[in-house]
Amino acid sequence: MLDVVRLRVLLAISKTGSVTAAARELNYTQPSVSHHLSRLEAETGAKLVQRAGRGIRLTEAGRLLAERAAEILGRIESASAELAAHVGLRAGRVRLAAFPSALGTLVPEAAVRLAHDHPGLDLRLAEAEPPEALRMLRAGDVDVAVVFQYGQAGVPHGGPDVDGLRITPLLDEPSLLVTPGGSPSGSLRDHAESRWIAGCDRCRAHLLDLCSGSGFEPRISFTTDDYVAVQAMVAAGLGVAVLPRLALSAHRHPGVQVSEIPASTRRVFAATYGEPPDPPATAALLAALADG
């Protein structure tokens, strides 16, 4: 059976790139780290590290085991926290990862409801786009991930296709055409010759799909994930953009105007991982998010 301490050592080596740095991070001696690594290689029958210049790096087997170690250790930490809450050793803790515009709108509102209904619950927040948020969820680094998926209005919720993922729908929000203030916003097709400002990979793909459906390919001149910067650039006349409603709810530049794009929607979900039922702290957070 794999030893948890040795898995923790392997994960530290993976993160730091050397035995010395791993020992410093874990507050172990260097010989102790080397011993645990040797024992882990003996237990698994696989070479887990190899020399790389002045440091070391993981082999393919080492990388595979380190990925599993991250999941295992994350689950152990979550189980310890929830068990402690159940037996009354300390208040519960729940961890949430969400994309920026959700952190500026949905999440603070849910946090207020959670604090009112469960004043002893410790809520931890992290900013992450959906792919990273789901990776954190699978690794046990967070308990809930707020993510989004683009689709068409009126289509039933399906949710991201990830094994073991359970989905709580939160809202559908329209996509908005954002143009400089003081002139007619027009339609997407009216801006076929305009410069465009694109966002994250998923948002950029959505923009390309929308423009393709309107019969043109957008001339993308700027790319930024920062919806505040996007609006500032639009207000300055540097281009036009498509943003979801949450981005405008979190921040609205006075120098832009918006118009809703027909039949275009972004679905927002709260995702959890693993078999039901959810731990009490996770269930409380999901309820607070869904009540928004």
Side-chain angles (χ1 to χ4, degrees), residues 86-98:
H86 272 296
V87 300
L89 296 177
R90 55 187 171 89
R93 181 199 65 184
V94 63
R95 302 159 299 171
L96 169 71

Side-chain angles (χ1 to χ4, degrees), residues 62-81:
R63 285 193 294 272
L64 175 62
L65 185 56
E67 290 176 3
R68 295 304 183 193
E71 296 182 18
I72 292 166
L73 294 172
R75 294 299 170 188
I76 290 174
E77 185 179 348
S78 295
S80 297

Side-chain angles (χ1 to χ4, degrees), residues 22 125 154 171 189 200 232 267 270 291:
L125 303 176
L171 61 89
R189 190 70 184 85
C200 70
R267 298 163 173 183
D291 284 345

Side-chain angles (χ1 to χ4, degrees), residues 44-68:
T44 59
K47 186 173 179 57
L48 302 176
V49 299
Q50 60 189 17
R51 290 289 177 187
R54 295 184 178 181
I56 59 175
R57 65 183 178 188
L58 299 188
T59 63
E60 186 66 29
R63 285 193 294 272
L64 175 62
L65 185 56
E67 290 176 3
R68 295 304 183 193

Side-chain angles (χ1 to χ4, degrees), residues 149-156 172 206 263-267:
Q149 179 173 298
Y150 284 103
Q152 295 181 338
V155 178
D172 283 6
H206 180 57
S264 173
T265 186
R266 186 172 79 163
R267 298 163 173 183

